[in-house]
Amino acid sequence: MAVPIRAALAGLCSGLLAALLTTAPAQAEQHDQAWTFSVAAHAPQARLALDDTTGRLSLSVARAGRTVIEPSPVGIVTEQADLSQDLRFLHREDRRIDERYRTKSGKRLERRVRMNETRLSFATAAGARLDLVVRASADGIAYRYVLPAGHGDVLGETSAFNLPSDASAWLGTYRADNEGQFARYTAESAPTGEYSDQALFATDGGYTLLAESDLTGGYSGARLAHDQGTGTYRVRLADARVRTDDSDGPLATPWRAMVTGDLATVTRSTFTDDLAPASKVTDPSWVRPGTVLWTWLAGGKEAGQSLAAQKAYVDYAAERNWPYEAVDAGWYFKADEWDTTDPDWQTNSWMPELVDHARAKGVGIIVWIHQRDLDTAEERARWLPTLERWGVKAVKIDFMDSEAQPMLRWYDSILAETAAHHLMVNFHGSTIPKGIQRTWPHVMTLEGVAGEEKRTNTAAHLTTLPFTRNVIGSMDFTPGAFQRVGLRPNSDAAEVGLAVAYESGLQMLAGTPESYDERPLARAYFDQIPAAWDDTRLLAGRPGEEAALARRSGDRWFLGGVYAGPARTAEVPLAIGPGRWLVETVQDGAGGLVRNRQVLRGGDTLGVEVVANGGFAGIACPWRPGVISCHR
């Protein structure tokens, strides 16, 4: 029996040695672990690495084998633990996301979401836990931190984005109202300072727009901090301490998103909406996008204080079949004198009379109101039911001017309460969309942009907005201010084109009735444009130089082009589908706006004569014999 025993022992030892030899490489990998994430071979790919010495995480992104984001730190610090280092890997979970949803506004109404999600769990030696959730789609990579209850307040993130130093960068200087202008730099040459967290970069891997999604009062808004001479952009929170409540359970931070692809992909992307939670409005049938006659730049506070002036604006909107008229500051300037203990206190305002007058003419009323008058629950209980009872359709709320946690908690309240009272919302002096329009579809538009009111805008800034601010959601730039000659950097035809180049669920037109009547081609074009789109395509673009977009409603494509620099013949690929198209354009002529008509095939190049810092607007409809106009 001795020989068989010796043979068995030898076989066992040989097996153990073989096992050790085969497991050694796997153990080495565990000390320097890495994970990759992608939804398809042609899609952007993220790589997360855990350093075997420091326990630090870094994330990089590539597309088509080329660098998009260089290895960048990932981590978060709470009052209980530093979760940016000394981490060890615990386990991994994967799932596939395949969703459909419908919006009320935006680049297209029907949405399809396909993403791969991976949840990686880590812990420190002391047992503090961190889950990192990564999502990958065809047009983006995003990650967020999930912390268990009891983690304490958040003191900051070590999150950052490392860009190649020579990457082109289009950055907007950070402001609390998000109204900084976008200018071009390289990643390393941008001056030391803080920038909007919607920042566009171009590398040999394509374009990448940094963004944020699913920001609520459970956290703090972010901006990008940069030191000149490096390509690093650090995430800096608006609050030095983000307050948390254990009763709320685990904390999921906002998504740090990277919208990635060629310029057409980035421009068309709905990635930040796709990352956001599903709609909280059960029945959004009362939410209706549309064109708005906005009277602030047309008449100022004096018009806002005049019932007669507002009735005249309503009448003009009705003549044009524009569905809304907006009454800006001044209409409730005596509100503090109203006796709100009187059940009929609202009769002290002429607003109900205006609403009734407008309703009879098929026009809805939108009213401006200062955030300080909706600051408390008591104030909201005073105003919101009253506005609903009057028949007001939407509120334009102004001067939040903060992305700190207390203001974000106010957003959480006002969003739910305006939805309950069937009031659409336009936020001014505000945060930027960050997925809000998927979760709260009655948010029709937000400012968060250096728009028409600004007197220092440049043509380059105007041609950058479709690739930066407007990528992430509706933008209330308020185009159409023809009367502001000398106060805007563009031509009349470009001003018409902005109404399509810039997407907004409530497209607030900022001109005077007189300025429209003096430009009948512009007026007729505005009569045609919808504010909700079935599809959006970039036809031609170079940030800071040109942007030509096509947006479809039914079987018609609306075209908008804006340009910076000298006069030229703009060449616009008509990538709107096969067949023959009648294309009508509104262009700048020697004596004003002129119309041009031509029949082209899909895929042909549309040539448009553009003046210096000019542009164009257009409509393309299927051509057949006898069709002489796209206007209906």
Side-chain angles (χ1 to χ4, degrees):
M1 295 294 295
V3 172
I5 292 175
R6 285 197 298 271
L9 289 174
L12 179 61
C13 291
S14 298
L16 288 173
L17 179 61
L20 288 172
L21 289 174
T22 56
T23 57
Q27 291 175 344
E29 285 182 6
Q30 289 177 1
H31 286 301
D32 187 16
Q33 296 175 85
W35 303 264
T36 58
F37 317 93
S38 184
V39 75
H42 63 277
Q45 182 182 76
R47 182 180 188 273
L48 183 74
L50 178 64
D51 186 276
D52 61 345
T53 303
T54 63
R56 296 180 185 271
L57 292 168
S58 64
L59 184 91
S60 58
V61 179
R63 178 174 170 268
R66 297 177 181 273
T67 299
V68 173
I69 303 289
E70 296 177 343
S72 304
V74 173
I76 190 169
V77 179
T78 75
E79 61 182 355
Q80 299 292 335
D82 181 351
L83 297 168
S84 68
Q85 59 184 343
D86 299 325
L87 297 172
R88 58 184 176 86
F89 173 65
L90 298 178
H91 56 82
R92 168 179 180 164
E93 297 177 5
D94 295 283
R95 73 182 182 108
R96 174 74 172 174
I97 299 171
D98 193 337
E99 302 172 339
R100 293 182 184 271
Y101 67 97
R102 181 176 174 84
T103 65
K104 301 298 288 191
S105 60
K107 300 171 193 176
R108 55 188 175 277
L109 301 183
E110 298 291 342
R111 310 282 180 87
R112 179 74 180 271
V113 182
R114 292 186 177 96
M115 297 184 187
N116 287 340
E117 179 184 281
T118 298
R119 188 182 185 111
L120 299 162
S121 296
F122 302 90
T124 66
R129 287 285 302 274
L130 169 69
D131 283 3
L132 185 72
V133 183
V134 182
R135 286 188 180 177
S137 78
D139 57 351
I141 299 291
Y143 68 87
R144 77 187 325 171
Y145 308 108
V146 178
L147 305 178
H151 54 74
D153 293 346
V154 173
L155 304 183
E157 296 183 22
T158 57
S159 316
F161 302 95
N162 290 331
L163 281 302
S165 60
D166 60 350
S168 295
W170 292 268
L171 307 173
T173 302
Y174 180 79
R175 292 172 38 142
D177 58 8
N178 290 290
E179 295 179 24
Q181 286 194 27
F182 284 88
R184 182 174 182 172
Y185 308 94
T186 63
E188 71 172 358
S189 70
T192 297
E194 294 185 343
Y195 296 93
S196 170
D197 66 334
Q198 44 173 11
L200 180 69
F201 298 90
T203 68
D204 63 356
Y207 287 84
T208 297
L209 181 74
L210 303 182
E212 187 174 32
S213 182
D214 193 17
L215 174 64
T216 70
Y219 207 65
S220 180
R223 72 285 305 261
L224 298 173
H226 171 67
D227 293 323
Q228 190 172 37
T230 76
T232 300
Y233 290 78
R234 306 181 307 279
V235 171
R236 180 173 295 169
L237 302 180
D239 298 277
R241 177 182 290 263
V242 179
R243 304 292 177 180
T244 60
D245 186 342
D246 286 349
S247 63
D248 294 335
L251 170 69
T253 70
W255 293 100
R256 302 280 163 245
M258 293 150 276
V259 185
T260 300
D262 59 22
L263 193 58
T265 298
V266 171
T267 307
R268 192 173 184 268
S269 173
T270 60
F271 188 53
T272 53
D273 282 346
D274 298 343
L275 290 166
S279 173
K280 294 185 179 182
V281 179
T282 305
D283 177 15
S285 59
W286 51 275
V287 179
R288 297 185 179 93
T291 301
V292 185
L293 176 59
W294 179 51
T295 61
W296 179 252
L297 292 185
K301 185 176 290 187
E302 292 74 18
Q305 295 174 357
S306 169
L307 174 60
Q310 291 302 320
K311 282 185 173 181
Y313 286 129
V314 165
D315 294 346
Y316 191 83
E319 291 172 8
R320 309 254 53 83
N321 289 317
W322 297 352
Y324 299 106
E325 191 258 348
V327 186
D328 217 281
W331 68 270
Y332 68 102
F333 70 107
K334 291 186 177 180
D336 290 341
E337 301 174 12
W338 299 349
D339 180 8
T340 56
T341 62
D342 181 351
D344 296 321
W345 67 272
Q346 64 268 27
T347 60
N348 291 293
S349 171
W350 47 254
M351 185 56 69
E353 181 179 347
L354 178 66
V355 173
D356 290 343
H357 175 81
R359 184 187 297 114
K361 297 193 173 236
V363 176
I365 294 297
I366 299 168
V367 299
W368 178 95
I369 191 165
H370 200 295
Q371 186 273 339
R372 68 187 174 213
D373 295 311
L374 297 170
D375 194 32
T376 66
E378 294 76 18
E379 288 168 335
R380 295 191 292 274
R382 170 193 181 190
W383 276 110
L384 299 182
T386 299
L387 295 173
E388 180 186 26
R389 187 164 56 249
W390 287 349
V392 167
K393 299 300 183 183
V395 286
K396 174 183 173 181
I397 308 174
D398 208 344
F399 294 116
M400 282 67 71
D401 292 340
S402 172
E403 291 178 315
Q405 190 177 24
M407 185 58 74
L408 295 176
R409 288 176 172 168
W410 174 86
Y411 276 104
D412 292 344
S413 298
I414 198 70
L415 287 165
E417 293 174 36
T418 49
H421 290 289
H422 292 176
L423 293 167
M424 296 181 291
V425 180
N426 173 4
F427 286 119
H428 265 234
S430 65
T431 184
I432 49 182
K434 302 185 179 184
I436 195 173
Q437 290 183 277
R438 179 184 182 184
T439 309
W440 298 102
H442 67 301
V443 178
M444 305 308 295
T445 191
L446 302 89
E447 189 181 29
V449 65
E452 195 72 83
E453 290 181 270
K454 301 302 179 187
R455 301 188 178 202
T456 57
N457 280 344
T458 65
H461 171 67
L462 302 190
T463 61
T464 303
L465 290 174
F467 312 114
T468 50
R469 165 63 181 85
N470 212 189
V471 170
I472 62 170
S474 292
M475 178 179 78
D476 193 18
F477 184 90
T478 69
F482 299 111
Q483 74 277 17
R484 290 171 68 83
V485 176
L487 299 178
R488 54 183 172 86
N490 58 346
S491 71
D492 279 358
E495 193 70 13
V496 183
L498 291 181
V500 173
Y502 298 165
E503 183 277 320
S504 181
L506 290 173
Q507 190 63 279
M508 298 266 188
L509 300 178
T512 63
E514 295 78 14
S515 70
Y516 299 133
D517 292 342
E518 291 168 0
R519 299 165 177 83
L521 290 180
R523 184 186 63 196
Y525 189 83
F526 290 152
D527 290 349
Q528 296 289 308
I529 58 171
W533 304 105
D534 296 313
D535 198 4
T536 292
R537 295 183 184 179
L538 177 67
L539 303 181
R542 291 190 299 272
E545 299 178 37
E546 65 173 355
L549 287 91
R551 302 189 193 273
R552 182 175 64 83
S553 176
D555 64 352
R556 293 190 298 172
W557 287 91
F558 290 76
L559 315 177
V562 290
Y563 297 81
R568 73 194 78 174
T569 300
E571 296 184 348
V572 182
L574 201 63
I576 58 175
R580 302 181 75 181
W581 297 88
L582 174 62
V583 183
E584 296 181 283
T585 55
V586 177
Q587 305 169 208
D588 293 295
L593 295 174
V594 297
R595 176 185 289 152
N596 182 51
R597 290 189 177 101
Q598 53 187 309
V599 176
L600 297 172
R601 291 190 177 275
D604 286 351
T605 297
L606 170 67
V608 183
E609 296 302 319
V610 173
V611 302
N613 296 331
F616 72 94
I619 307 177
C621 59
W623 180 86
R624 59 184 181 276
V627 174
I628 60 173
S629 176
C630 291
H631 286 242
R632 294 172 183 169

